Amino acid sequence: MPTNSLSPTRADLLRELQQRVDDRVLEPTNAALLRKLIERADTDDEAIAVAALGTTYKRTGFHFDVRLERLTNDIRYLRRNPALSFTTSPNALTHRLIIGDNYEALQNLLIQYRGQVDVIYIDPPYGKDRMGEFAHTNYENALTRDNLLSMLYPRLQLAKQLLSGKGILLCSIDDRNHAYVKGMMDDIFREFGFVTSFVWQKKKGGGQNKFVYEGHEYILCYLKNKSIIKKLLVTDSSEISEKNIVKKNGHYYRVNDDFIRVVYGKYESGTERRCHYEDILEIKGKEKWDEVQDKLKKGDFILRPSKSDATKHYVCRLEDITEGKKKVVYSIISGIRTEDGTNEVNSIGLDFDSPKPSELLKILLNLTQNKQALILDFFAGSGTTGHAVLELNRKDGGQRKFILCQLNEKTDTTPNGIAYDVTTKRLKRIMTGKYYDGTADFPWAKTNEPYGDNLEVTEIDRVFNAEATTGKTPFDVIDETLYGQQPFTTMREKIEWVCQHFQHAQKAVENDSDWEKRKRDLDHATRS
């Protein structure tokens, strides 16, 4: 097969192959042979298998059982949910929510968005209380973490194909699983793609811990292309220094190397936030201080001195530190608490266990400084990532779009499923200011303007690949407009398109029973 006719998958494989040579992981002569085999492979799957032969360092230092993919007779496709979708304006941005298994959602997203996603953030179910039936394996079998890692591995492989050349992937993880998940992600993105482990100080105080209190967790950060690391993260703290300490009318604030801290009155613990260099309000005289105090109590503003005159003081909104085109990025994120996320969701009239605060997501999503970024979260939960995207757009006039994926898992507090009872409702309420029934009886709506924009909600459905009943064939039920295609004018065009793009949407990862049987067979063979 000539190089200029290679599929996107094979082109990516060849680039990765060359990267292994550049990184001195693979010998050039071996790479040349693998290149020929990849170019001449009969299918993309065969090409992927050939490329894996060059990955000599796979899963170095630890082991887990990778769940195998198998081909099924069902095609997974997107079906629009008109009852949950809504439009606020035909000229507004349209965001997406996919309800269903995120592995199948990622397969479908690859049909339209391969190499186009700028930021991926995920918050997988790593906590002991969030693992459900998997908690035993995850926390008592500390050698493998099979359930967590084997669930993440194939999904991250698909996610990597969605990332653009300048794409960033961010993954929240706890102390217990950090080393394992990082090892797996080093395998997928190569160690050269690793940027840092952000430390999020999510709580204060000692709690009930008698020895060591872990009030933090991590956010792993990886880049698809290592060459953009220096361009992405430029640290410059020249505008902040310890000497900037001011006392005015009993109010104190100081600037240190990392954060601006305000301590005054009943605000005993203070607040730590990053501050945008934008003059919002100049304080002239005592009459302004009451106004400043009210704003500070609401947590919307913070004080800073004038850069030109230290005797003048300004109030500015709580934003990421930005100075021109330079970005000040700190690996420790503080001043944003777990309860902030809980309070945020409660104010929207919803109940959800341990949602991430949107302020945290705003810091992470803004790493690219790309106001037109396409942002994906395939463990969407309550929809915090979508909320953060909408807020960032409002703050800086950006045109970011989000794609969220959420399994409609049923819990004690979500009898209809998380996607139906929480995710869709949150997005509907903050984007329109109303419930789906048109009412607006929740606290957030009384103090905030709705963000607007449109939401397209789709669900994962299945169709037998050989279904021949008129009106029910794959070519009848799959809507090409949900994949960025204009409607086909002939059935022949539709058939060719479906056959070309939906082969991968028939793959499934081994289910629990298949996986447990394979482990038992392996264990029996080992013992005998």
Side-chain angles (χ1 to χ4, degrees):
M1 178 181 293
T3 303
N4 59 9
S5 64
L6 288 174
S7 68
T9 297
R10 299 194 201 193
D12 287 341
L13 292 174
L14 293 179
R15 279 192 290 270
E16 290 189 11
L17 201 65
Q18 183 57 48
Q19 187 64 58
R20 292 177 206 161
V21 174
D22 295 342
D23 295 338
R24 298 184 180 180
V25 174
L26 189 62
E27 289 294 327
T29 52
N30 292 342
L33 177 59
L34 291 173
R35 175 182 291 274
K36 288 182 180 180
L37 294 174
I38 290 171
E39 291 175 346
R40 297 173 184 177
D42 292 332
T43 65
D44 284 347
D45 288 342
E46 187 176 286
I48 292 170
V50 170
L53 296 175
T55 314
T56 57
Y57 56 96
K58 193 171 185 179
R59 290 191 297 281
T60 301
F62 77 113
H63 172 76
F64 66 96
D65 287 334
V66 179
R67 298 196 184 190
L68 302 179
E69 290 183 329
R70 54 188 173 84
L71 200 63
T72 71
N73 293 322
D74 288 332
I75 298 174
R76 283 81 169 176
Y77 68 97
L78 301 178
R79 173 178 52 81
R80 192 172 191 271
N81 186 320
L84 297 178
S85 302
F86 56 84
T87 299
T88 64
S89 169
N91 298 320
L93 297 175
T94 297
H95 308 278
R96 304 187 69 171
L97 169 64
I98 301 174
I99 300 174
D101 187 310
N102 55 15
Y103 180 77
E104 297 169 356
L106 291 168
Q107 289 174 318
N108 275 268
L109 287 173
L110 278 168
I111 295 171
Q112 181 178 357
Y113 295 106
R114 183 185 296 272
Q116 296 183 37
V117 177
D118 300 296
V119 183
I120 296 177
Y121 169 78
I122 58 172
D123 182 16
Y126 52 82
K128 184 173 182 179
D129 296 332
R130 299 171 62 191
M131 287 295 290
E133 62 185 286
F134 298 140
H136 273 308
T137 300
N138 191 37
Y139 280 86
E140 293 179 10
N141 182 0
L143 288 177
T144 61
R145 260 51 175 199
D146 281 332
N147 284 292
L148 175 64
L149 298 178
S150 62
M151 178 269 289
L152 282 176
Y153 190 82
R155 288 161 173 80
L156 288 172
Q157 291 284 10
L158 296 179
K160 181 181 178 182
Q161 297 177 57
L162 285 167
L163 280 176
S164 68
K166 296 182 179 179
I168 306 174
L169 188 138
L170 299 145
C171 175
S172 284
I173 202 68
D174 64 351
D175 228 347
R176 187 183 296 264
N177 288 293
H178 177 274
Y180 297 92
V181 173
K182 183 183 183 300
M184 180 190 65
M185 294 180 73
D186 282 346
D187 176 34
I188 296 172
F189 291 93
R190 301 188 306 277
E191 291 187 48
F192 302 104
F194 175 66
V195 178
T196 191
S197 290
F198 289 101
V199 179
W200 172 38
Q201 189 66 37
K202 63 179 183 177
K203 293 180 181 179
K204 281 189 175 181
Q208 301 299 314
N209 297 55
K210 296 180 180 180
F211 185 51
V212 175
Y213 177 65
E214 298 171 359
H216 67 276
E217 61 185 50
Y218 301 95
I219 300 119
L220 290 164
C221 180
Y222 282 81
L223 297 178
K224 187 173 183 179
N225 184 346
K226 67 175 183 179
S227 66
I228 68 166
I229 292 178
K230 292 184 179 179
K231 296 179 182 179
L232 176 70
L233 304 178
V234 179
T235 59
D236 181 1
S237 58
S238 60
E239 289 294 332
I240 51 180
S241 64
E242 188 66 33
K243 66 181 180 181
N244 293 324
I245 303 175
V246 177
K247 178 180 179 181
K248 182 78 172 180
N249 292 355
H251 298 258
Y252 299 84
Y253 69 94
R254 67 180 174 84
V255 181
N256 59 34
D257 287 341
D258 291 338
F259 300 100
I260 296 174
R261 181 189 294 272
V262 177
V263 182
Y264 70 98
K266 295 182 180 179
Y267 221 72
E268 295 174 359
S269 62
T271 182
E272 299 168 336
R273 290 291 193 271
R274 293 181 169 87
C275 180
H276 190 284
Y277 289 115
E278 178 183 353
D279 297 343
I280 303 298
L281 173 67
E282 182 177 353
I283 301 169
K284 294 181 179 178
K286 185 176 180 179
E287 67 280 3
K288 289 290 184 181
W289 281 102
D290 291 337
E291 181 180 347
V292 171
Q293 183 171 339
D294 289 340
K295 291 180 181 298
L296 287 168
K297 284 181 178 179
K298 293 177 182 178
D300 294 330
F301 295 82
I302 204 162
L303 298 179
R304 74 163 178 81
S306 166
K307 287 181 285 186
S308 60
D309 185 351
T311 63
K312 293 182 180 179
H313 310 92
Y314 296 91
V315 175
C316 61
R317 295 187 182 278
L318 304 182
E319 297 273 356
D320 297 334
I321 299 177
T322 306
E323 184 73 4
K325 294 184 178 180
K326 291 185 177 181
K327 185 77 174 178
V328 180
V329 180
Y330 298 99
S331 61
I332 299 177
I333 301 172
S334 186
I336 302 172
R337 309 299 177 199
T338 299
E339 58 263 31
D340 295 341
T342 301
N343 294 337
E344 192 170 51
V345 169
N346 291 344
S347 73
I348 303 170
L350 298 168
D351 181 23
F352 190 75
D353 182 39
S354 302
K356 291 291 188 290
S358 62
E359 287 293 328
L360 173 67
L361 267 296
K362 284 165 60 179
I363 292 173
L364 298 174
L365 299 181
N366 212 20
L367 286 173
T368 62
Q369 302 183 66
N370 178 1
K371 295 183 180 182
Q372 284 76 42
L374 179 61
I375 296 164
L376 169 65
D377 182 348
F378 54 90
F379 288 96
S382 69
T384 299
T385 298
H387 194 149
V389 168
L390 295 168
E391 178 65 16
L392 283 173
N393 284 346
R394 169 165 289 177
K395 293 283 187 181
D396 62 18
Q399 297 287 302
R400 302 170 186 85
K401 292 183 180 180
F402 65 76
I403 302 174
L404 307 183
C405 308
Q406 177 57 42
L407 182 67
N408 198 39
E409 179 185 7
K410 296 181 180 180
T411 68
D412 292 339
T413 58
T414 58
N416 299 307
I418 292 173
Y420 289 172
D421 286 343
V422 180
T423 320
T424 53
K425 290 182 178 180
R426 179 179 188 173
L427 296 174
K428 173 68 174 179
R429 294 175 191 185
I430 64 175
M431 294 172 75
T432 69
K434 298 178 181 179
Y435 293 115
Y436 273 100
D437 65 7
T439 59
D441 187 21
F442 55 99
W444 189 91
K446 298 176 182 178
T447 57
N448 293 273
E449 286 292 323
Y451 294 107
D453 287 353
N454 310 321
L455 184 68
E456 181 178 77
V457 181
T458 54
E459 301 197 50
I460 300 293
D461 209 340
R462 300 186 180 194
V463 59
F464 181 47
N465 60 4
E467 177 63 60
T469 305
T470 302
K472 296 183 179 181
T473 72
F475 316 109
D476 293 318
V477 299
I478 295 175
D479 181 356
E480 62 267 31
T481 64
L482 295 178
Y483 298 86
Q485 292 284 332
Q486 292 296 319
F488 291 108
T489 56
T490 67
M491 181 55 72
R492 180 173 180 175
E493 290 178 309
K494 179 74 171 282
I495 292 173
E496 289 178 351
W497 177 76
V498 170
C499 292
Q500 180 182 357
H501 291 94
F502 283 82
Q503 179 182 357
H504 293 293
Q506 293 186 87
K507 289 183 178 179
V509 179
E510 284 183 332
N511 59 36
D512 292 337
S513 59
D514 293 335
W515 187 57
E516 292 297 333
K517 181 179 183 301
R518 183 163 65 90
K519 288 210 302 181
R520 287 195 302 271
D521 291 344
L522 180 61
D523 182 63
H524 177 73
T526 303
R527 291 175 185 275
S528 58

